[in-house]
Amino acid sequence: MASAHLISRVSILGTGLIGGSFALALRKYTTGMYVCGWDRPEVIREAQTRGAFDETFSGELAPAVQNADLIYIALPIAATIDLLPEIARHAPPHAVVTDACSTKVRVSQAAAELFPGEKGPLFLGGHPMAGRELPGIANANADLFHENTYALIANTSERVVAGVKARSSSVEEADASHDPRISAFVKILEKIGARPLWLGAPQHDYAVGLASHLPQLAAVALAGFLYDRLDENGLPITLAGPGLRDSLRLAGSPYSTWRDIVLTNQEVLSAALDLLARRLDDLREKLASRELEADFDAANELYKLLRSL
């Protein structure tokens, strides 16, 4: 495997929670990296206070990427797709371009047309399975990626829809790391403590739709349900314990973070919500019986599995 020295100059487009955390992680866990940041002027001013960047840019994109070995896009999905053509025009031929978007099909489709991968910049889709409910570089942390899965998107035609179990076939790293630039990026991910996992874009969107996006919508639904029922004394919330706060942690995420995610994963989420509604119907029918014990047992087993990961 090639060493990370192929990448020594990094341009991070988007200096919020993910981009800021990636910059801080490079500062903490790698050496010899020159890290640039690009964002809106007001965001860049805040980013400069964290000391994560050697150089910052706003406005015109070309100066921020023209000398980069790695271009790391940490922007919302729609903004990423809109910016890809300009990145493709200005990225150096030797550069690796990667994104951190939470859905991959739409981004991968757009990138495939712009980055042919021969004698030019190389695109590699990615998604760090890490984050916080509060956005912005003020909440960034160098250890955000530590011990968390980092999805890397391999080229595959596999199509997966909600309601059908995802095929568990894996993509060997060797198949996706022929280019030494990709090997260099993977080595950086390992240095910052992430756990790279290769899979196809549809498989990724199916999995995160169920494991990440559906829990977010479920938290929003439960929080909205309770908010609509607050009385003048604050009941029922005034009697809530830590269990409710734990259950509704995701409800603290702003819609601006989730808008593009929902819009680009509608098919999976719509089917998943239908299936979840059926499960709730099943629970309601079992309220007067002891059959709920099996549901609790299954939930306990899944909780144990999550704790062991």
Side-chain angles (χ1 to χ4, degrees):
M1 177 179 285
S3 64
H5 76 271
L6 288 174
I7 297 173
S8 61
R9 188 178 180 97
V10 180
S11 289
I12 300 175
L13 311 183
T15 58
L17 175 65
I18 298 299
S21 294
F22 187 67
L24 291 170
L26 292 177
R27 279 276 183 268
K28 183 174 181 178
Y29 293 109
T30 69
T31 58
M33 289 286 183
Y34 190 86
V35 184
C36 303
W38 177 90
D39 214 317
R40 302 190 309 274
E42 65 274 17
V43 181
I44 280 295
R45 284 194 293 271
E46 185 177 5
Q48 289 169 339
T49 66
R50 295 298 304 268
F53 299 96
D54 296 294
E55 191 174 4
T56 56
F57 301 86
S58 60
E60 189 177 353
L61 180 66
V65 302
Q66 61 188 3
N67 297 315
D69 304 314
L70 171 67
I71 300 171
Y72 189 95
I73 312 169
L75 296 166
I77 299 165
T80 296
I81 293 173
D82 289 344
L83 205 60
L84 280 178
E86 189 173 0
I87 295 171
R89 284 196 301 271
H90 297 296
H94 70 276
V96 177
V97 181
T98 188
D99 75 303
C101 291
S102 298
T103 61
K104 306 312 317 172
V105 170
R106 290 279 301 278
V107 174
S108 297
Q109 290 170 344
E113 299 177 1
L114 296 165
F115 298 90
E118 297 179 3
K119 298 181 180 179
L122 176 70
F123 184 86
L124 173 65
H127 179 203
M129 301 309 300
R132 293 179 172 179
E133 65 272 20
L134 298 176
I137 197 169
N139 299 292
N141 189 305
D143 293 315
L144 186 70
F145 308 97
H146 194 70
E147 294 298 320
N148 286 314
T149 298
Y150 199 112
L152 295 172
I153 304 306
N155 292 325
T156 175
S157 60
E158 179 187 5
R159 176 171 173 77
V160 185
V161 296
V164 180
K165 185 176 181 181
R167 184 163 58 88
S168 60
S169 60
S170 62
V171 179
E172 294 183 3
E173 288 187 25
D175 292 338
S177 60
H178 291 156
D179 195 301
R181 294 172 292 180
I182 293 181
S183 299
F185 177 60
V186 170
K187 189 162 187 178
I188 288 174
L189 294 181
E190 292 170 343
K191 281 188 174 183
I192 67 174
R195 299 182 298 189
L197 173 67
W198 291 95
L199 71 171
Q203 187 182 20
H204 168 277
D205 287 5
Y206 167 83
V208 295
L210 270 62
S212 176
H213 308 164
L214 181 62
Q216 175 66 44
L217 294 183
V220 169
L222 179 57
F225 172 83
L226 293 172
Y227 183 79
D228 290 343
R229 283 154 183 81
L230 290 177
D231 66 14
E232 63 275 9
N233 298 313
L235 290 170
I237 299 302
T238 49
L239 291 182
L244 182 63
R245 287 193 293 273
D246 292 343
S247 299
L248 294 184
R249 180 182 65 83
L250 294 175
S253 297
Y255 175 62
S256 59
T257 298
W258 286 90
R259 179 191 59 218
D260 292 354
I261 296 172
V262 172
L263 290 174
T264 55
N265 212 16
Q266 291 181 60
E267 183 181 1
V268 170
L269 282 174
S270 179
L273 285 169
D274 285 342
L275 294 172
L276 179 61
R278 292 180 198 173
R279 177 55 65 93
L280 292 174
D281 287 339
D282 291 341
L283 292 178
R284 182 173 59 245
E285 292 177 1
K286 296 176 183 178
L287 288 176
S289 72
R290 294 194 178 188
E291 294 180 28
L292 273 174
E293 185 174 358
D295 293 280
F296 271 77
D297 288 344
N300 293 163
E301 288 302 313
L302 181 63
Y303 178 72
K304 292 175 184 176
L305 178 60
L306 288 172
R307 291 293 297 268
S308 68
L309 295 177

